[in-house]
Amino acid sequence: MNTLFDKIWDAHVVQCVEDGPTQLYIDRLYCHEVTSPQAFDALRDRGLKAFRPKQVYAMPDHNTPSDQQEVINDPVGRKQVETLKKNCEEFGINHFAMGTKDNGIIHVVGPEKGLSLPGMTIVCGDSHTSTHGAVGALAMGIGTSEVAEVLASQCILQQKPKSMRINIEGELQPGVTAKDVALYIMAMMTTSGATGYAVEYAGSAIRSLSMEGRLTLSNLSIEMGSRAGLIAPDEKTIEYLKGREYAPKGEAWDKAVAYWKTLKSDDDAVFDKEVTYRAEDITPRITYGTNPGAGIAIDGNIPTLDEIPEAEKAGFLSQLDYMQFTPGEHLEGHPVDYVFLGACTNGRIEDFRAFASVVKGKKKAENVVAWLVPGSWLVRQQIIDEGIDKILEEAGFELRLPSCSACLAMNPDKVPAGKLAISTSNRNFVGRQGPGARTVLASPLTVAASAITGVITDPRTV
């Protein structure tokens, strides 16, 4: 009667504190330059070493420029990247330096290198660690003090979350991507609908998703308040991981696959909460507000005041005021200033293939500034090997260097105040892409269509 979450959790329990948290063993710790410095300082202050440094992998990504990677001009960002390198050298941590073939966004690099594997417990001082749950791992974002805990002991103290299963049954319509599925779920459940839960995604529509699509969906689990977003490993997972650099080899591979095939919720497993949605109800989505749950079908309208509960009207109007939209407004056809393809949400090879499929033979709108940023150097090389860079170049787009880029305002790719960006990233918070910047979240297909027309565009019409 165990869920997938229960199986992984129970296999990693070291001890349970009576009326307190569980001490959980951690298989993989990821670190980047923003949240790790204080954790390493905490070890120094107590005279501690990293307990199992070979199970820790670190790389800079948030501050990494996407136009060149010779120098970081921002002194704060430069110091964070330099400090990460020094900390890794001192504590014996695996470090994938900026500009090297191993580098990229940590939540893209982990799965593509086979560092994130089914059945693992994975943590990182970053909320979007939930991404790695797509391979059938229990992956959670943690705080800086907890990063220090794991560095020092390879364990963490955690309260066990409740369990939830979200089923998407049926067949997705043409033009509908995993990003649209995630935005639909968030609109239905709100951004706090999964708070306190570890979510498992299931159903025929989930099984039909590619691994890149599953990574996108798991990535956005945190935007519903969930602690984790898991998808049971299947033949697609196994095929995706086979031959990856750090995946098991030979007999170890066969043994691992046999174990991975046991990682699924039992038929009689009971969840604390379970919801089901129909794939046929999901169409291409966009957001209109300043949280990822404030979304609509791309051919729909922003809700009117009559549709908003009285207690939520002030917040609703505040969001629209910032976004410069009005209640009931139809956003399809609204001019955009910037388009962004990338982030740990949609910076993988499939996302660039999708974007290229729309822009091939067409031209970028003159009024649009476009940032197309792969999530890793491996993805960038795949783009070149497949000739996608030529398609993009002929359509008037520039392929940039791997970085978190315009997902957040911590590197040079900042959207100017008042400008409207349509973005494949994960958050549309106030100022997320730059002070005063306005963000509409969408899929790579929708962003591509909008980049060609210069206005918010339903990809099904292009």
Side-chain angles (χ1 to χ4, degrees):
M1 294 180 61
N2 287 327
T3 68
L4 168 61
F5 165 70
D6 288 329
K7 291 180 179 182
I8 300 175
W9 179 279
D10 293 346
H12 289 80
V13 171
V14 177
Q15 63 176 328
C16 294
V17 178
E18 190 174 350
D19 298 323
T22 300
Q23 184 184 22
L24 204 65
Y25 183 77
I26 299 301
D27 295 304
R28 184 80 70 222
L29 169 64
Y30 292 125
C31 294
H32 56 65
E33 76 275 26
V34 179
T35 58
S36 66
Q38 301 91 331
F40 284 106
D41 285 343
L43 265 63
R44 279 193 202 91
D45 291 344
R46 300 181 64 179
L48 298 173
K49 296 180 180 180
F51 183 59
R52 291 190 172 165
K54 296 311 174 188
Q55 290 174 229
V56 185
Y57 287 79
M59 66 199 76
D61 51 15
H62 284 54
N63 289 287
T64 307
S66 72
D67 56 344
Q68 56 75 37
Q69 294 186 357
E70 299 301 318
V71 63
I72 296 174
N73 292 316
D74 175 58
V76 175
R78 184 169 64 249
K79 184 175 182 180
Q80 287 182 333
V81 171
E82 290 171 350
T83 300
L84 179 66
K85 180 182 178 182
K86 290 176 184 175
N87 284 331
C88 288
E89 289 172 349
E90 179 181 344
F91 288 89
I93 303 298
N94 303 286
H95 178 240
F96 296 161
M98 184 176 78
T100 65
K101 68 177 180 61
D102 294 317
N103 183 253
I105 304 173
I106 205 159
H107 305 313
V108 174
V109 172
E112 76 178 10
K113 282 189 168 295
L115 285 166
S116 302
L117 298 172
M120 276 187 168
T121 48
I122 300 170
V123 294
C124 175
D126 187 281
S127 55
H128 292 105
T129 307
S130 57
T131 309
H132 307 267
V135 302
L138 174 54
M140 302 178 289
I142 58 175
T144 299
S145 62
E146 293 172 313
V147 173
E149 269 183 50
V150 180
L151 282 170
S153 68
Q154 208 59 36
C155 293
I156 192 171
L157 294 174
Q158 289 281 293
Q159 295 285 354
K160 186 176 182 179
K162 293 181 289 185
S163 62
M164 178 190 295
R165 182 159 60 189
I166 298 176
N167 305 291
I168 310 290
E169 299 290 358
E171 187 175 342
L172 295 173
Q173 300 177 34
V176 176
T177 71
K179 182 64 165 287
D180 300 301
V181 173
L183 291 174
Y184 176 83
I185 294 171
M186 284 186 280
M188 298 298 289
M189 294 189 60
T190 77
T191 49
S192 61
T195 300
Y197 291 90
V199 169
E200 179 183 343
Y201 299 101
S204 56
I206 303 302
R207 291 192 293 274
S208 74
L209 292 176
S210 65
M211 282 305 299
E212 287 88 352
R214 295 177 188 187
L215 288 159
T216 294
L217 182 59
S218 291
N219 173 271
L220 288 158
S221 301
I222 186 65
E223 307 306 339
M224 300 184 297
S226 174
R227 290 291 288 126
L230 300 86
I231 298 173
D234 57 12
E235 291 302 323
K236 284 185 182 179
T237 318
I238 294 166
E239 188 59 34
Y240 174 84
L241 292 171
K242 190 174 184 179
R244 299 279 172 178
E245 186 176 352
Y246 290 90
K249 305 291 190 297
E251 289 184 14
W253 169 259
D254 295 335
K255 185 177 179 181
V257 169
Y259 168 58
W260 296 346
K261 288 181 177 180
T262 70
L263 293 174
K264 56 184 177 181
S265 292
D266 296 334
D267 292 340
D268 55 356
V270 177
F271 291 81
D272 294 303
K273 185 174 182 179
E274 189 157 8
V275 293
T276 300
Y277 300 110
R278 298 194 316 160
E280 292 81 3
D281 294 338
I282 306 174
T283 57
R285 308 281 300 181
I286 54 172
T287 60
Y288 62 82
T290 55
N291 72 69
I296 53 174
I298 193 168
D299 55 358
N301 296 333
I302 296 173
T304 63
L305 275 177
D306 292 340
E307 298 173 273
I308 302 297
E310 194 64 39
E312 298 174 15
K313 283 183 179 178
F316 171 72
L317 289 171
S318 176
Q319 291 188 63
L320 293 189
D321 181 62
Y322 180 83
M323 291 298 296
Q324 300 176 28
F325 297 149
T326 57
E329 185 176 355
H330 185 71
L331 294 184
E332 194 177 2
H334 193 291
V336 297
D337 304 300
Y338 284 72
V339 299
F340 172 51
L341 173 66
C344 58
T345 314
N346 286 118
R348 298 176 182 81
I349 185 61
E350 183 180 90
D351 303 310
F352 280 82
R353 290 172 184 154
F355 189 98
S357 73
V358 174
V359 306
K360 186 176 182 178
K362 305 180 181 69
K363 290 292 182 183
K364 179 182 77 68
E366 291 184 4
N367 65 298
V368 165
V369 175
W371 290 325
L372 276 54
V373 187
S376 71
W377 284 93
L378 177 60
V379 172
R380 192 175 195 275
Q381 191 59 52
Q382 285 177 289
I383 291 167
I384 294 168
D385 291 345
E386 295 182 17
I388 293 172
D389 60 323
K390 302 299 184 192
I391 295 172
L392 299 176
E393 185 180 344
E394 288 170 7
F397 297 95
E398 174 197 1
L399 179 64
R400 295 170 79 92
L401 304 180
S403 164
C404 285
S405 183
C407 178
L408 76 174
M410 289 189 69
N411 56 72
D413 297 348
K414 295 180 179 68
V415 176
K419 297 297 185 181
L420 184 67
I422 186 164
S423 173
T424 65
S425 52
N426 39 54
R427 286 179 174 164
N428 52 347
F429 298 164
V430 171
R432 172 76 176 183
Q433 292 193 285
R438 302 179 295 142
T439 302
V440 169
L441 300 178
S443 76
L445 292 176
T446 300
V447 169
S450 304
I452 294 301
T453 61
V455 299
I456 294 174
T457 301
D458 187 332
R460 297 170 297 183
T461 67
V462 177

